[in-house]
Amino acid sequence: QVQLQESGPGLVRPSETLSLICTVSGYSLSSGYYWGWIRQPPGKGLEWIGTVYYIGSTYYNPSLRSRVTISLDTSKNQFSLNLSYVTAADTAVYFCARILTGPYHFDSWGQGTLVTVSS
Amino acid sequence: EIVLTQSPGTLSLSPGQRATLSCRASQSVSSSYLAWYHQKPGQAPRLLIYGASSRATGIADRFSGSGSGTDFTLTISRLEPEDFAVYYCQQYGGSSWTFGQGTKVEIK
């Protein structure tokens, strides 16, 4: 059974880069599937940030594309999120998730991690 | 980008009642790529329905999904206490994923 766990700083200063890692257990990233990041501002809905395919192809939300980088580290079975030039509007719970190839839905999720942008 | 609009924003019902949630897309969505989730406070979303009408593993048969094109529906036949939560629809198309803004099902 696949498990995902987000990790990273809980506080980031404005204009800096938010960096998170998703560690996957129970499945090898190099074997397949898409892997994604989703965020949820406090009290609001879900927003897809971006996705990486197991061969390294990436897909980003157009509204965030200029600031987002998602990458794989198959040697550590992790994938990461970098979001640059953050503002208070980037304060959110950040989730990582697995996406099934073909139906393209998010079938397994991490528990989420709250990142606050504040000076 | 395909925009998903869910209605109503809030649904106030009693346990045992039927819930009908709507998800409307700004352009046609493949039924294969339409999913529903529910989310309880402090938890990650959980997949309920995929391919518009297929129940995910372990999901009770009181949950059903239907629809095609731009109009999709999630129905909960008889609400149980654990079903009071926020529900989201999600679609995939053109290498992009989007979520609806959510419908909160609350206890009346």
Side-chain angles (χ1 to χ4, degrees):
Chain A
Q1 179 180 346
V2 66
Q3 293 186 311
L4 300 94
Q5 178 68 58
E6 305 88 352
S7 60
L11 179 66
V12 180
R13 303 204 181 281
S15 81
E16 295 188 345
T17 296
L18 180 160
S19 296
L20 295 174
I21 289 173
C22 183
T23 301
V24 179
S25 57
Y27 187 83
S28 173
L29 285 183
S30 59
S31 295
Y33 294 127
Y34 292 80
W35 305 87
W37 287 97
I38 305 96
R39 70 180 182 178
Q40 185 171 39
K44 297 188 177 180
L46 302 168
E47 180 182 33
W48 169 67
I49 299 170
T51 295
V52 59
Y53 194 34
Y54 79 103
I55 57 173
S57 314
T58 52
Y59 312 88
Y60 298 133
N61 185 323
S63 68
L64 298 170
R65 180 174 288 131
S66 63
R67 299 193 292 132
V68 173
T69 303
I70 295 175
S71 59
L72 287 171
D73 186 341
T74 54
S75 67
K76 296 181 179 178
N77 221 39
Q78 297 173 335
F79 61 104
S80 63
L81 167 69
N82 283 332
L83 180 65
S84 61
Y85 302 107
V86 297
T87 70
D90 295 309
T91 294
V93 175
Y94 286 76
F95 297 98
C96 59
R98 185 177 73 173
I99 304 166
L100 292 192
T101 308
Y104 299 110
H105 56 258
F106 301 84
D107 79 317
S108 299
W109 295 67
Q111 64 185 25
T113 187
L114 174 63
V115 179
T116 301
V117 178
S118 175
S119 55
Chain B
E1 175 183 306
I2 297 177
V3 176
L4 298 179
T5 302
Q6 294 186 239
S7 61
T10 302
L11 201 50
S12 299
L13 295 168
S14 300
Q17 287 192 294
R18 181 184 186 91
T20 303
L21 288 68
S22 172
C23 176
R24 180 161 292 178
S26 59
Q27 55 187 282
S28 186
V29 172
S30 169
S31 295
S32 298
Y33 303 154
L34 193 287
W36 290 91
Y37 306 80
H38 71 180
Q39 184 182 31
K40 299 177 184 179
Q43 296 184 16
R46 181 182 181 186
L47 177 69
L48 296 173
I49 299 286
Y50 64 93
S53 60
S54 297
R55 274 188 300 277
T57 302
I59 299 303
D61 60 7
R62 65 181 180 273
F63 291 92
S64 63
S66 63
S68 64
T70 60
D71 290 298
F72 297 89
T73 300
L74 175 70
T75 301
I76 311 170
S77 59
R78 288 175 53 86
L79 283 164
E80 297 287 340
E82 61 268 28
D83 299 336
F84 292 92
V86 180
Y87 290 78
Y88 295 94
C89 56
Q90 169 258 313
Q91 70 83 36
Y92 167 81
S95 300
S96 183
W97 287 257
T98 54
F99 291 91
Q101 84 280 16
T103 290
K104 182 179 182 180
V105 178
E106 65 176 23
I107 299 177
K108 187 173 182 180

